[in-house]
Amino acid sequence: GARNMPLEELSRSLNLLPTDQNILVYDRLPKRSREVARLISESGRKVFQLKGGLAEWAARKFPLEVK
């Protein structure tokens, strides 16, 4: 499932992330998610970043569900 984890809390919360699953990170714009992906990768986890962020995803009219 998805988890909202602000960058400021990531270093304290890395232990909450699975080690046996791929992790996808995204943000509205890709700058912050690049930093998050780097930190998660350095912890030994397999991580992927949504290219272009959610802004590009929405601009391409891909499905997006907001709750």
Side-chain angles (χ1 to χ4, degrees):
R3 178 183 303 235
N4 181 17
M5 190 174 293
L7 178 58
E8 300 78 27
E9 297 176 17
L10 181 61
S11 61
R12 294 188 307 257
S13 304
L14 278 173
N15 63 324
L16 299 176
L17 298 176
T19 57
D20 61 342
Q21 299 175 15
N22 295 334
I23 298 171
L24 172 67
V25 297
Y26 58 89
D27 200 342
R28 187 175 64 82
L29 299 172
K31 183 178 180 183
R32 277 187 299 221
S33 60
R34 264 195 300 273
E35 176 67 10
V36 169
R38 183 186 64 77
L39 291 169
I40 293 172
S41 178
E42 288 175 355
S43 76
R45 292 164 172 85
K46 184 77 171 182
V47 62
F48 299 90
Q49 181 185 357
L50 182 63
K51 184 177 179 180
L54 286 176
E56 184 172 327
W57 182 272
R60 291 177 178 248
K61 307 281 189 238
F62 292 144
L64 183 63
E65 182 177 323
V66 179
K67 291 185 178 185

